[in-house]
Amino acid sequence: GRGGGERGVAGPALEKMPFPATTPGSQQTPLPPKFYGISSPISLAAPKETDCVLTQKLIETLKPFGVLEEEEELQRRILILEKLNNLVKEWIREISESKSLPPAVIENVGGKIFTFGSYRLGVHTKGADIDALCVAPRHVDRSDFFTSFYAKLKLHEEVKDLRAVEEAFVPVIRLCFDGIEIDILFARLALQTIPEDLDLRDDSLLKNLDIRCIRSLNGCRVTDEILHLVPNIDNFRLTLRAIKLWAKCHNIYSNILGFLGGVSWAMLVARTCQLYPNAVASTLVRKFFLVFSEWEWPNPVLLKEPEEQNLNLPVWDPRVNPSDRYHLMPIITPAYPQQNSTYNVSVSTRMVMIEEFKQGLAITHEILLSKAEWSKLFEAPSFFQKYKHYIVLLASAPTEKQRLEWVGLVESKIRILVGSLEKNEFITLAHVNPQSFPAPKENPDKEEFCTMWVIGLVLKKPENSEVLSIDLTYDIQSFTDTVYRQAINSKMFEMDMKIDAMHLRRKELHQLLPNHVLQKNKTHSENSVSVPSPASTVKTGPVTGSSQGRNSPALAVMAASATSVQVTEVTLQQGNPGESPGGASESVPQTASQAAVSPPPKPTITRLVSSTLLVNHAPRPAGAAATNIANPIVGV
């Protein structure tokens, strides 16, 4: 295949060894002059003995995290996919017979399961799900996939939890096959038969296809291109495993919340491999942080020159599409039609990620100098020690099934809230933690299933003002309106589905979060580099109940309840006795100085939005009788 000819250049032993890069010696012959990517490499240096030792240490560090799958588990997945592949072939033969195709065609009709995502890239973790694509010939319709194939799966003894999501943007059948979660997409190609050696990267396959089939093919085409665009697949895989684990530990792995998802991290690692084609994983991890802490966003990350195929499909191109000019951190998929995989990234999420890249660079530099071990890279910074102000979002529903649907919808809209918080002149940054938590029930006697998310805030201090009053009612109200409106329009809304939001200070989080969550890695928070914030960032200390004897400015966060116009003021003191002056650090709590301060009285939780008012939105009738629901966020 394209770019595949160079795969064997580093010696035949490469193909057989799971992590070839760690063995010094003959197989590190430099690559031929052919280079990968849209620019020449930064360095062609071959690895030194120390790099190979550090790579071996990296592998040892990764093992306990469960990111390296055992051979037995891998064989089990291969067996499951074989069974699924046989089911597909059998089903397509049955369909072909029912549609009276000639026997000669039926004999060779084919049909195939392709995989994509982390499994296809070879970087899946223990127990991870598999993304699969069912490719069928032209006489098999999408409706057949969701009826007869679904029915065939239902009869299979190893298939559990079968559900079809036919109306999704990318329609999918989800199931659990012998304990492994699998998502299966469907694509019908304009071919009479599906050959075993079909290469989905062939752009001509897209001609005259239904848009849903093009979208379904995209995952496979992108994954296959990435694998063909890196100089050494094994080095790429090990580096990507390390970077994905690091991103998850540091709470920046989530496409839906505006960080990066799996395919985006894979493309950043692939670009690093292109720039350092002979480097082993220990070097590549360090260079990854170097390249992307210095990257001049919004310049796009490209793995190859985009090609135009004249199939009139929308592609990412800021010269043509004005909306593409506003993307903050473009990482462009290498297969036609090229898309930006990071359109959800916001000012805040980019700021958080760049700060993490810089911190990763500092840690890998220490590792290189033997001042730290690899484990330091995977220590989770304590999100709940990092900020002084938090917004807690609660989503609740009366049954577990409804909670799953409701939580999915609310989570997909949280970035809208983050976007409007960022626009608030007094908020420098809003960092949503991708991890959600079970929330305590409001009413212990009532059956209720509740999930919560926590957003850390960095606040600015206005000039010449002693009190900072921030009214977040509007931001939160417009967010909840958007969620309720969408739930009603998609006929998903049920009574007693609720969203609540509240403002809490760091010291009040214990009211909602269990201690083991708050304490997790608290000891490491002293090392955590804080979010970059301008010198004007508010420094608020512990709450002492009154402001006597202090001339430092106080900060009031106002929250108007949606049901009444009464305003609640929460006044916070500024200036911890033990804190150093200057506003650069918004992170670590000074535990020593806090002990000297009397404990705060149990604070009342300030609700920013009451859900009662919002539940009463009637479904909107059409035409002139339409209910007038305020829509403060334009163009959501």
Side-chain angles (χ1 to χ4, degrees), residues 582-603:
S585 156
E586 241 288 327
S587 90
V588 299
Q590 272 66 21
T591 39
S593 64
Q594 279 176 352
V597 179
S598 58
K602 189 164 173 61

Side-chain angles (χ1 to χ4, degrees), residues 161 254 386 446 590:
D161 301 335
S254 172
K386 193 166 188 176
K446 199 169 149 204
Q590 272 66 21

Side-chain angles (χ1 to χ4, degrees), residues 323 413 415-416 423 474 478 482 485-486 630-636:
S323 62
K413 301 293 173 208
R415 56 195 170 81
I416 292 171
K423 292 189 182 77
Y474 178 84
S478 54
T482 304
R485 195 179 307 114
Q486 176 142 347
N631 181 11
I633 296 184
V634 180
V636 157

Side-chain angles (χ1 to χ4, degrees), residues 10-38:
L14 269 188
E15 293 302 322
K16 301 181 186 69
M17 296 178 59
F19 300 113
T22 57
T23 311
S26 62
Q27 66 235 41
Q28 275 139 17
T29 323
L31 285 169
K34 192 265 185 228
F35 62 78
Y36 293 74
I38 60 165

Side-chain angles (χ1 to χ4, degrees), residues 26-271:
S26 62
Q27 66 235 41
Q28 275 139 17
T29 323
L31 285 169
K34 192 265 185 228
F35 62 78
Y36 293 74
I38 60 165
S39 64
S40 51
I42 292 174
S43 165
L44 289 168
K48 300 191 190 73
E49 180 69 38
T50 49
D51 301 325
C52 299
V53 171
L54 273 176
T55 299
Q56 194 54 51
K57 283 185 177 170
L58 175 60
I59 293 168
E60 294 307 317
T61 307
L62 290 176
K63 278 179 185 168
F65 286 99
V67 297
L68 303 167
E69 196 176 43
E70 303 297 327
E71 185 61 28
E72 191 182 332
E73 175 85 353
L74 185 60
Q75 290 308 322
R76 182 166 153 246
R77 283 172 187 266
I78 290 169
L79 186 64
I80 286 170
L81 285 166
E82 251 172 50
K83 288 180 184 175
L84 202 53
N85 200 37
N86 291 336
L87 270 179
V88 164
K89 287 184 174 5
E90 204 178 288
W91 165 66
I92 288 176
R93 271 201 305 275
E94 288 163 7
I95 293 268
S96 308
E97 283 165 6
S98 72
K99 296 190 177 178
S100 309
L101 263 74
V105 174
I106 293 173
E107 191 59 39
N108 300 307
V109 71
K112 192 174 174 185
I113 283 280
F114 289 85
T115 58
F116 61 101
S118 64
Y119 177 79
R120 172 77 181 96
L121 286 171
V123 296
H124 56 286
T125 54
K126 282 179 190 164
D129 62 353
I130 297 177
D131 295 305
L133 168 72
C134 168
V135 174
R138 63 191 179 203
H139 58 274
V140 179
D141 294 316
R142 183 170 289 277
S143 58
D144 297 323
F145 178 71
F146 283 103
T147 52
S148 57
F149 186 60
Y150 182 89
K152 195 173 184 65
L153 287 169
K154 201 167 187 171
L155 293 173
H156 200 286
E157 57 184 9
E158 290 176 284
V159 172
K160 306 266 184 301
D161 301 335
L162 184 65
R163 54 216 181 276
V165 193
E166 201 170 347
E167 300 312 310
F169 185 70
V170 183
V172 61
I173 288 178
R174 300 203 148 118
L175 58 112
C176 193
F177 199 118
D178 189 22
I180 300 276
E181 291 279 337
I182 305 180
D183 287 1
I184 313 177
L185 311 182
F186 175 81
R188 165 191 182 223
L189 299 185
L191 303 172
Q192 191 175 30
T193 61
I194 302 299
E196 273 304 299
D197 59 353
L198 181 66
D199 185 351
L200 295 178
R201 291 179 306 140
D202 180 353
D203 292 332
S204 66
L205 293 174
L206 300 180
K207 279 187 187 137
N208 307 319
L209 285 200
D210 168 46
I211 188 66
R212 289 167 302 180
C213 290
I214 290 174
R215 284 187 200 129
S216 299
L217 283 164
N218 193 48
C220 281
R221 286 167 51 80
V222 168
T223 309
D224 286 0
E225 280 288 0
I226 291 171
L227 289 171
H228 278 83
L229 289 166
V230 293
N232 178 309
I233 289 182
D234 293 305
N235 291 347
F236 162 74
R237 281 181 176 147
L238 182 52
T239 308
L240 181 53
R241 283 185 188 280
I243 293 301
K244 283 178 71 162
L245 177 62
W246 164 82
K248 284 172 184 170
C249 290
H250 288 251
N251 290 315
I252 52 173
Y253 190 107
S254 172
N255 175 44
I256 201 163
L257 291 174
F259 295 103
L260 305 191
V263 74
S264 302
W265 291 116
M267 288 190 284
L268 292 188
V269 169
R271 187 71 189 110

Side-chain angles (χ1 to χ4, degrees), residues 295-417:
W295 195 270
E296 291 184 359
W297 304 105
N299 285 329
V301 174
L302 294 160
L303 295 179
K304 60 184 271 197
E305 284 293 352
E307 298 160 8
E308 181 45 65
Q309 294 301 329
N310 298 322
L311 295 176
N312 286 331
L313 295 171
V315 297
W316 185 84
D317 188 345
R319 296 166 305 182
V320 178
N321 314 315
S323 62
D324 292 348
R325 293 168 205 165
Y326 296 98
H327 292 174
L328 299 176
M329 205 171 173
I331 301 172
I332 309 305
T333 56
Y336 179 83
Q338 297 81 15
Q339 306 292 321
N340 174 21
S341 65
T342 62
Y343 56 86
N344 289 342
V345 169
S346 72
V347 173
S348 286
T349 54
R350 183 175 74 174
M351 212 188 285
V352 169
M353 287 188 282
I354 290 171
E355 189 57 32
E356 290 290 359
F357 292 153
K358 289 179 178 167
Q359 211 179 329
L361 181 61
I363 293 170
T364 47
H365 189 62
E366 285 180 23
I367 293 166
L368 183 67
L369 300 174
S370 304
K371 289 183 179 173
E373 297 296 323
W374 279 112
S375 55
K376 185 172 180 180
L377 190 62
F378 307 114
E379 285 171 1
S382 184
F383 178 82
F384 301 106
Q385 310 301 321
K386 193 166 188 176
Y387 302 102
K388 303 234 167 57
H389 298 275
Y390 294 88
I391 286 175
V392 177
L393 282 182
L394 298 143
S396 56
T399 68
E400 177 57 19
K401 183 177 179 296
Q402 286 173 352
R403 182 193 72 85
L404 282 171
E405 284 188 3
W406 185 231
V407 159
L409 176 63
V410 173
E411 185 173 52
S412 72
K413 301 293 173 208
I414 289 177
R415 56 195 170 81
I416 292 171
L417 174 59

Side-chain angles (χ1 to χ4, degrees), residues 323-549:
S323 62
D324 292 348
R325 293 168 205 165
Y326 296 98
H327 292 174
L328 299 176
M329 205 171 173
I331 301 172
I332 309 305
T333 56
Y336 179 83
Q338 297 81 15
Q339 306 292 321
N340 174 21
S341 65
T342 62
Y343 56 86
N344 289 342
V345 169
S346 72
V347 173
S348 286
T349 54
R350 183 175 74 174
M351 212 188 285
V352 169
M353 287 188 282
I354 290 171
E355 189 57 32
E356 290 290 359
F357 292 153
K358 289 179 178 167
Q359 211 179 329
L361 181 61
I363 293 170
T364 47
H365 189 62
E366 285 180 23
I367 293 166
L368 183 67
L369 300 174
S370 304
K371 289 183 179 173
E373 297 296 323
W374 279 112
S375 55
K376 185 172 180 180
L377 190 62
F378 307 114
E379 285 171 1
S382 184
F383 178 82
F384 301 106
Q385 310 301 321
K386 193 166 188 176
Y387 302 102
K388 303 234 167 57
H389 298 275
Y390 294 88
I391 286 175
V392 177
L393 282 182
L394 298 143
S396 56
T399 68
E400 177 57 19
K401 183 177 179 296
Q402 286 173 352
R403 182 193 72 85
L404 282 171
E405 284 188 3
W406 185 231
V407 159
L409 176 63
V410 173
E411 185 173 52
S412 72
K413 301 293 173 208
I414 289 177
R415 56 195 170 81
I416 292 171
L417 174 59
V418 169
S420 55
L421 290 172
E422 286 172 349
K423 292 189 182 77
N424 188 306
E425 58 178 322
F426 299 122
I427 295 177
T428 304
L429 183 137
H431 178 184
V432 57
N433 188 336
Q435 210 180 343
S436 60
F437 301 92
K441 290 208 285 198
E442 246 182 271
N443 182 349
D445 308 325
K446 199 169 149 204
E447 189 70 12
E448 191 178 46
F449 296 86
C450 198
T451 296
M452 67 181 164
W453 296 266
V454 187
I455 303 172
L457 297 179
V458 176
L459 304 177
K460 286 179 193 158
K461 187 173 127 265
E463 298 299 311
N464 313 321
S465 167
E466 291 221 341
V467 174
L468 172 58
S469 298
I470 305 179
D471 184 355
L472 300 178
T473 315
Y474 178 84
D475 299 325
I476 297 206
Q477 180 83 51
S478 54
F479 161 70
T480 50
D481 279 355
T482 304
V483 177
Y484 283 117
R485 195 179 307 114
Q486 176 142 347
I488 289 161
N489 290 347
S490 63
K491 312 276 191 295
M492 189 189 99
F493 185 75
E494 302 280 348
M495 282 309 286
D496 289 332
M497 282 183 169
K498 287 189 302 204
I499 316 175
D500 276 327
M502 58 183 78
H503 162 265
L504 292 179
R505 289 160 294 202
R506 187 195 301 159
K507 302 197 80 173
E508 297 164 351
L509 288 172
H510 66 87
Q511 297 174 353
L512 287 178
L513 286 157
N515 251 348
H516 71 89
V517 171
L518 294 176
Q519 294 298 329
K520 201 168 98 189
N521 289 22
K522 192 169 178 174
T523 47
H524 303 314
S525 69
E526 272 72 14
N527 306 329
S528 76
V529 178
S530 62
V531 173
S533 45
S536 61
T537 299
V538 166
K539 308 266 317 147
T540 56
V543 184
T544 54
S546 76
S547 57
Q548 57 188 8

